[in-house]
Short mmCIF file of all heavy atoms in Angstrom, two decimals:
data_model
loop_
_atom_site.label_atom_id
_atom_site.label_comp_id
_atom_site.label_asym_id
_atom_site.label_seq_id
_atom_site.Cartn_x
_atom_site.Cartn_y
_atom_site.Cartn_z
N ASN B 109 126.34 165.61 -241.56
CA ASN B 109 124.91 165.86 -241.41
C ASN B 109 124.60 167.21 -240.78
O ASN B 109 123.60 167.84 -241.09
CB ASN B 109 124.26 164.76 -240.58
CG ASN B 109 123.90 163.55 -241.44
OD1 ASN B 109 123.67 163.71 -242.65
ND2 ASN B 109 123.89 162.38 -240.85
N GLY B 110 125.46 167.66 -239.88
CA GLY B 110 125.23 168.92 -239.17
C GLY B 110 125.06 170.08 -240.13
O GLY B 110 124.01 170.75 -240.12
N PRO B 111 126.03 170.35 -240.98
CA PRO B 111 125.90 171.46 -241.94
C PRO B 111 124.70 171.26 -242.85
O PRO B 111 124.04 172.24 -243.22
CB PRO B 111 127.20 171.40 -242.75
CG PRO B 111 128.13 170.63 -241.92
CD PRO B 111 127.35 169.70 -241.06
N ALA B 112 124.41 170.00 -243.23
CA ALA B 112 123.27 169.74 -244.10
C ALA B 112 121.98 170.17 -243.41
O ALA B 112 121.11 170.83 -244.01
CB ALA B 112 123.19 168.26 -244.46
N ILE B 113 121.86 169.79 -242.14
CA ILE B 113 120.65 170.18 -241.39
C ILE B 113 120.55 171.69 -241.33
O ILE B 113 119.49 172.27 -241.55
CB ILE B 113 120.68 169.56 -239.98
CG1 ILE B 113 120.43 168.06 -240.09
CG2 ILE B 113 119.67 170.22 -239.07
CD1 ILE B 113 120.58 167.32 -238.81
N PHE B 114 121.67 172.34 -241.08
CA PHE B 114 121.65 173.80 -240.99
C PHE B 114 121.20 174.43 -242.30
O PHE B 114 120.33 175.30 -242.33
CB PHE B 114 123.04 174.32 -240.60
CG PHE B 114 123.11 175.82 -240.54
CD1 PHE B 114 122.57 176.50 -239.46
CD2 PHE B 114 123.69 176.54 -241.59
CE1 PHE B 114 122.61 177.88 -239.43
CE2 PHE B 114 123.73 177.92 -241.55
CZ PHE B 114 123.19 178.60 -240.47
N GLY B 115 121.76 173.95 -243.39
CA GLY B 115 121.42 174.48 -244.71
C GLY B 115 119.93 174.31 -245.01
O GLY B 115 119.25 175.23 -245.46
N LEU B 116 119.43 173.11 -244.76
CA LEU B 116 118.02 172.84 -245.02
C LEU B 116 117.12 173.70 -244.14
O LEU B 116 116.07 174.21 -244.57
CB LEU B 116 117.71 171.36 -244.76
CG LEU B 116 118.27 170.36 -245.77
CD1 LEU B 116 118.03 168.94 -245.31
CD2 LEU B 116 117.63 170.60 -247.14
N LEU B 117 117.55 173.89 -242.90
CA LEU B 117 116.79 174.72 -241.96
C LEU B 117 116.63 176.13 -242.50
O LEU B 117 115.53 176.67 -242.54
CB LEU B 117 117.52 174.72 -240.61
CG LEU B 117 117.12 175.77 -239.58
CD1 LEU B 117 115.73 175.47 -239.05
CD2 LEU B 117 118.11 175.82 -238.44
N VAL B 118 117.73 176.70 -242.96
CA VAL B 118 117.68 178.07 -243.48
C VAL B 118 116.77 178.13 -244.71
O VAL B 118 115.97 179.05 -244.86
CB VAL B 118 119.10 178.58 -243.82
CG1 VAL B 118 119.02 179.94 -244.49
CG2 VAL B 118 119.93 178.66 -242.55
N ALA B 119 116.89 177.10 -245.58
CA ALA B 119 116.11 177.12 -246.82
C ALA B 119 114.61 177.00 -246.55
O ALA B 119 113.80 177.48 -247.35
CB ALA B 119 116.56 175.99 -247.73
N THR B 120 114.21 176.37 -245.45
CA THR B 120 112.78 176.12 -245.23
C THR B 120 112.16 177.05 -244.18
O THR B 120 110.97 176.97 -243.92
CB THR B 120 112.54 174.67 -244.79
OG1 THR B 120 113.39 174.38 -243.70
CG2 THR B 120 112.82 173.72 -245.93
N LEU B 121 112.98 177.90 -243.61
CA LEU B 121 112.46 178.76 -242.53
C LEU B 121 111.43 179.77 -243.05
O LEU B 121 110.38 179.97 -242.45
CB LEU B 121 113.64 179.51 -241.89
CG LEU B 121 113.41 180.08 -240.50
CD1 LEU B 121 112.92 179.02 -239.55
CD2 LEU B 121 114.71 180.69 -239.98
N LEU B 122 111.73 180.38 -244.21
CA LEU B 122 110.91 181.50 -244.66
C LEU B 122 109.42 181.20 -244.82
O LEU B 122 108.59 181.94 -244.28
CB LEU B 122 111.45 182.10 -245.95
CG LEU B 122 110.57 183.28 -246.37
CD1 LEU B 122 111.01 184.57 -245.71
CD2 LEU B 122 110.45 183.43 -247.85
N PRO B 123 109.04 180.13 -245.54
CA PRO B 123 107.59 179.91 -245.70
C PRO B 123 106.87 179.80 -244.37
O PRO B 123 105.72 180.24 -244.24
CB PRO B 123 107.50 178.60 -246.48
CG PRO B 123 108.86 178.28 -246.94
CD PRO B 123 109.84 179.12 -246.22
N ILE B 124 107.55 179.22 -243.39
CA ILE B 124 106.90 179.05 -242.09
C ILE B 124 106.71 180.41 -241.41
O ILE B 124 105.63 180.75 -240.95
CB ILE B 124 107.72 178.09 -241.20
CG1 ILE B 124 107.83 176.73 -241.88
CG2 ILE B 124 107.08 177.97 -239.82
CD1 ILE B 124 108.65 175.73 -241.13
N VAL B 125 107.80 181.19 -241.37
CA VAL B 125 107.70 182.51 -240.72
C VAL B 125 106.70 183.39 -241.47
O VAL B 125 105.82 184.00 -240.87
CB VAL B 125 109.08 183.22 -240.70
CG1 VAL B 125 108.96 184.56 -240.00
CG2 VAL B 125 110.08 182.36 -239.99
N ARG B 126 106.82 183.39 -242.79
CA ARG B 126 105.97 184.24 -243.62
C ARG B 126 104.49 183.90 -243.40
O ARG B 126 103.66 184.77 -243.17
CB ARG B 126 106.39 184.06 -245.08
CG ARG B 126 105.46 184.67 -246.11
CD ARG B 126 105.39 186.16 -246.10
NE ARG B 126 106.51 186.85 -246.74
CZ ARG B 126 106.67 188.18 -246.69
NH1 ARG B 126 105.80 188.92 -246.04
NH2 ARG B 126 107.69 188.74 -247.27
N ASN B 127 104.17 182.63 -243.45
CA ASN B 127 102.76 182.25 -243.29
C ASN B 127 102.25 182.50 -241.87
O ASN B 127 101.10 182.89 -241.69
CB ASN B 127 102.55 180.78 -243.66
CG ASN B 127 102.36 180.60 -245.14
OD1 ASN B 127 103.05 181.24 -245.93
ND2 ASN B 127 101.44 179.75 -245.53
N THR B 128 103.10 182.27 -240.88
CA THR B 128 102.68 182.55 -239.51
C THR B 128 102.38 184.04 -239.35
O THR B 128 101.33 184.43 -238.84
CB THR B 128 103.78 182.14 -238.51
OG1 THR B 128 104.15 180.80 -238.77
CG2 THR B 128 103.28 182.27 -237.09
N TYR B 129 103.31 184.84 -239.88
CA TYR B 129 103.19 186.29 -239.77
C TYR B 129 101.93 186.80 -240.50
O TYR B 129 101.08 187.46 -239.91
CB TYR B 129 104.46 186.91 -240.35
CG TYR B 129 104.46 188.40 -240.50
CD1 TYR B 129 104.57 189.23 -239.38
CD2 TYR B 129 104.39 189.00 -241.76
CE1 TYR B 129 104.58 190.60 -239.53
CE2 TYR B 129 104.41 190.37 -241.91
CZ TYR B 129 104.50 191.17 -240.80
OH TYR B 129 104.52 192.53 -240.93
N THR B 130 101.80 186.44 -241.77
CA THR B 130 100.64 186.96 -242.52
C THR B 130 99.34 186.36 -242.00
O THR B 130 98.32 187.03 -241.94
CB THR B 130 100.73 186.68 -244.03
OG1 THR B 130 101.22 185.37 -244.20
CG2 THR B 130 101.62 187.65 -244.73
N GLY B 131 99.37 185.08 -241.61
CA GLY B 131 98.18 184.44 -241.07
C GLY B 131 97.68 185.18 -239.84
O GLY B 131 96.48 185.44 -239.69
N LEU B 132 98.59 185.55 -238.97
CA LEU B 132 98.19 186.26 -237.74
C LEU B 132 97.70 187.67 -238.06
O LEU B 132 96.73 188.15 -237.48
CB LEU B 132 99.36 186.31 -236.76
CG LEU B 132 99.66 184.97 -236.09
CD1 LEU B 132 100.95 185.06 -235.27
CD2 LEU B 132 98.51 184.54 -235.20
N LEU B 133 98.39 188.32 -239.02
CA LEU B 133 97.95 189.68 -239.36
C LEU B 133 96.58 189.67 -240.03
O LEU B 133 95.84 190.65 -239.96
CB LEU B 133 98.96 190.34 -240.31
CG LEU B 133 100.25 190.84 -239.68
CD1 LEU B 133 100.96 191.79 -240.65
CD2 LEU B 133 100.01 191.56 -238.36
N ALA B 134 96.24 188.54 -240.69
CA ALA B 134 94.98 188.49 -241.42
C ALA B 134 93.78 188.26 -240.51
O ALA B 134 92.64 188.34 -240.96
CB ALA B 134 95.04 187.40 -242.49
N VAL B 135 94.02 187.97 -239.24
CA VAL B 135 92.87 187.82 -238.33
C VAL B 135 92.20 189.20 -238.22
O VAL B 135 92.86 190.18 -237.90
CB VAL B 135 93.34 187.35 -236.94
CG1 VAL B 135 92.17 187.31 -235.96
CG2 VAL B 135 93.97 185.97 -237.05
N PRO B 136 90.89 189.29 -238.54
CA PRO B 136 90.25 190.60 -238.63
C PRO B 136 90.41 191.43 -237.35
O PRO B 136 90.30 190.90 -236.24
CB PRO B 136 88.77 190.26 -238.83
CG PRO B 136 88.77 188.89 -239.41
CD PRO B 136 89.98 188.20 -238.85
N ALA B 137 90.68 192.71 -237.56
CA ALA B 137 90.93 193.61 -236.41
C ALA B 137 89.73 193.64 -235.48
O ALA B 137 89.89 193.74 -234.26
CB ALA B 137 91.25 195.00 -236.92
N HIS B 138 88.50 193.53 -236.04
CA HIS B 138 87.36 193.65 -235.14
C HIS B 138 87.23 192.45 -234.22
O HIS B 138 86.71 192.57 -233.11
CB HIS B 138 86.06 193.90 -235.94
CG HIS B 138 85.57 192.74 -236.73
ND1 HIS B 138 85.79 192.60 -238.07
CD2 HIS B 138 84.87 191.65 -236.35
CE1 HIS B 138 85.25 191.48 -238.50
NE2 HIS B 138 84.68 190.88 -237.48
N LEU B 139 87.75 191.29 -234.65
CA LEU B 139 87.75 190.14 -233.73
C LEU B 139 88.68 190.39 -232.56
O LEU B 139 88.37 190.10 -231.41
CB LEU B 139 88.19 188.87 -234.46
CG LEU B 139 87.21 188.26 -235.45
CD1 LEU B 139 87.73 186.93 -235.94
CD2 LEU B 139 85.84 188.07 -234.79
N LYS B 140 89.84 190.97 -232.89
CA LYS B 140 90.80 191.26 -231.82
C LYS B 140 90.24 192.31 -230.88
O LYS B 140 90.40 192.22 -229.66
CB LYS B 140 92.14 191.72 -232.42
CG LYS B 140 92.83 190.63 -233.23
CD LYS B 140 94.20 191.10 -233.69
CE LYS B 140 94.38 190.83 -235.17
NZ LYS B 140 95.59 191.41 -235.72
N GLU B 141 89.55 193.31 -231.48
CA GLU B 141 88.97 194.35 -230.62
C GLU B 141 87.89 193.76 -229.72
O GLU B 141 87.82 194.06 -228.53
CB GLU B 141 88.38 195.48 -231.46
CG GLU B 141 88.08 196.70 -230.62
CD GLU B 141 87.13 197.67 -231.31
OE1 GLU B 141 87.35 197.98 -232.47
OE2 GLU B 141 86.19 198.12 -230.63
N ALA B 142 87.05 192.90 -230.32
CA ALA B 142 86.01 192.27 -229.52
C ALA B 142 86.64 191.48 -228.38
O ALA B 142 86.21 191.58 -227.23
CB ALA B 142 85.15 191.36 -230.38
N ALA B 143 87.70 190.74 -228.69
CA ALA B 143 88.33 189.90 -227.68
C ALA B 143 88.93 190.74 -226.56
O ALA B 143 88.70 190.47 -225.38
CB ALA B 143 89.39 189.02 -228.32
N SER B 144 89.67 191.79 -226.92
CA SER B 144 90.27 192.57 -225.83
C SER B 144 89.20 193.39 -225.12
O SER B 144 89.29 193.61 -223.92
CB SER B 144 91.44 193.41 -226.32
OG SER B 144 91.07 194.15 -227.44
N GLY B 145 88.16 193.79 -225.85
CA GLY B 145 87.06 194.51 -225.21
C GLY B 145 86.31 193.64 -224.21
O GLY B 145 85.66 194.15 -223.30
#
Side-chain angles (χ1 to χ4, degrees):
Chain B
N109 276 334
I113 288 174
F114 178 77
L116 288 174
L117 165 70
V118 174
T120 52
L121 200 54
L122 181 87
I124 300 178
V125 181
R126 170 67 78 188
N127 276 41
T128 307
Y129 172 73
T130 41
L132 287 172
L133 284 195
V135 175
H138 70 261
L139 288 187
K140 295 185 229 172
E141 193 197 313
S144 50

